[in-house]
Amino acid sequence: MYATNYHRASSVQDAVRMRSAADESKYLAGGMTLIATMKQRLAAPSDLVDLRHIPSLRGISVDGTSVRIGAATTHYDVASSTELKAACPAICDLAHGIGDPHVRHMGTIGGSVANNDPAADYPAALLALDAVIVTNTREIKAGDFFTGLFETALQDAEMIVAVTFDAPAKAAYAKFRNPASRYAMTGVFVARRDNGDVRVSVTGAGADGVFRHPGMEAALSANWSPDSLAGVSVDPSDLMSDIHASAEYRANLVKVMAKRAVAAA
Ligand SMILES: Cc1cc2nc3c(=O)[nH]c(=O)nc-3n(C[C@H](O)[C@H](O)[C@H](O)COP(=O)(O)OP(=O)(O)OC[C@H]3O[C@@H](n4cnc5c(N)ncnc54)[C@H](O)[C@@H]3O)c2cc1C
């Protein structure tokens, strides 16, 4: 690794000030992605601003169907929250399926969302839940936040402080894991609201990152059952091909995972 200055922030304002003071600085949350990237010399920040000791960034609050998850809340805390399980069990199940116990105890929802890995799980959930990403300066709808592979609407030094959403009547996530990394080779999150509005979003498969599937949403709005997806086509030309799977294979996985998610919801 290169020499790096470490800063421990105790408040959001403190962290933003520290981050803005150095040109090549970065926020550090769980370090599950950032530290590995630094070890591989793919990133060399001059300064790291640690967010893990800011009390306001941690924790989950549920008020009826209204959910708020602090950015530095770990995947383990999301997976094991009884309050959240009662309001939206699908997001707890999703968090429980991230990586391994070490990753779940260290990694955070804010770090995952800011990183926007095309195979990460949370982006699919936040898009399907019509979530809002709350930063230190503004609120960004998930639909405007994820802008491409590892790209988001975050400005330099802008910090995610929380994620909020209104829990839907039904939701579930189905993921086909990469057996080595446990990231999603394809993951589909489905959510249905009381008014019949349905959202289906897909991670791990899109050539440009997480995306919604309007064809599946229309079919499920008309008939909320796995069988209603039988006639929906998934276009492989929009999907990713890599050493793990071809676009055609992923197109099939999108349909299979969507059916499983609807059945589970
Ligand atoms: C072995 C392994 C398996 C994994 N498997 C999965 C998996 O199955 N599914 C999955 O979704 N993920 C998986 N991950 C990734 C994991 O979920 C990480 O937790 C996540 O990518 C990054 O979160 P972090 O808190 O560790 O962030 P960090 O690594 O600390 O930071 C990541 C990036 O986000 C920025 N950042 C962090 N917090 C904020 C914030 N609040 N505001 C703005 N920017 C911020 C940092 O500056 C950095 O650029 C895996 C990781 C590993 C190592």
Side-chain angles (χ1 to χ4, degrees):
M1 281 202 221
Y2 299 94
T4 303
N5 301 309
Y6 171 86
H7 307 269
R8 179 181 285 198
S10 54
S11 70
V12 170
Q13 293 84 339
D14 206 20
V16 174
R17 186 183 47 75
M18 290 167 169
R19 170 85 164 72
S20 306
D23 281 350
E24 300 296 325
S25 63
K26 275 198 172 288
Y27 294 124
L28 173 70
M32 290 292 94
T33 298
L34 183 53
I35 299 293
T37 315
M38 290 171 67
K39 282 183 175 167
Q40 291 166 339
R41 299 194 166 214
L42 297 171
S46 62
D47 295 70
L48 288 180
V49 179
D50 192 345
L51 306 181
R52 290 173 304 167
H53 306 278
I54 303 176
S56 67
L57 287 187
R58 294 190 81 132
I60 298 166
S61 63
V62 180
D63 182 7
T65 57
S66 175
V67 175
R68 184 183 196 279
I69 306 175
T73 307
T74 62
H75 309 326
Y76 172 80
D77 286 340
V78 172
S80 56
S81 162
T82 45
E83 254 190 313
L84 189 53
K85 237 172 242 177
C88 186
I91 198 157
C92 304
D93 292 345
L94 174 148
H96 182 69
I98 294 177
D100 52 39
H102 176 81
V103 171
R104 293 195 289 276
H105 278 273
M106 291 297 290
T108 67
I109 189 167
S112 174
V113 170
N115 196 48
N116 192 20
D117 188 303
D121 299 303
Y122 277 124
L126 300 196
L127 199 53
L129 293 168
D130 197 16
V132 171
I133 291 90
V134 183
T135 78
N136 60 311
T137 56
R138 58 186 171 142
E139 298 193 344
I140 310 168
K141 301 270 276 180
D144 298 323
F145 183 85
F146 301 109
T147 53
L149 305 179
F150 298 100
E151 296 287 337
T152 70
L154 286 175
Q155 304 282 316
D156 201 34
E158 187 171 8
M159 187 203 299
I160 301 173
V161 298
V163 163
T164 64
F165 62 88
D166 192 37
K170 286 174 189 277
Y173 180 60
K175 139 161 138 170
F176 190 87
R177 287 182 177 79
N178 179 314
S181 71
R182 307 209 180 100
Y183 274 95
M185 197 118 93
T186 292
V188 178
F189 198 103
V190 297
R192 184 176 192 274
R193 306 229 162 242
D194 276 335
N195 64 6
D197 185 34
V198 172
R199 279 182 170 231
V200 176
S201 34
V202 180
T203 189
D208 205 22
V210 66
F211 66 94
R212 286 173 64 188
H213 197 288
M216 288 188 174
E217 291 179 355
L220 289 169
S221 297
N223 174 18
W224 177 258
S225 90
D227 291 344
S228 72
L229 298 173
V232 179
S233 61
V234 178
D235 184 357
S237 64
D238 298 333
L239 303 185
M240 192 170 14
S241 268
D242 59 17
I243 54 165
H244 305 299
S246 65
E248 289 73 21
Y249 186 72
R250 281 190 164 92
N252 184 55
L253 280 180
V254 171
K255 223 159 142 171
V256 174
M257 292 303 114
K259 285 183 180 176
R260 284 188 193 170
V262 175

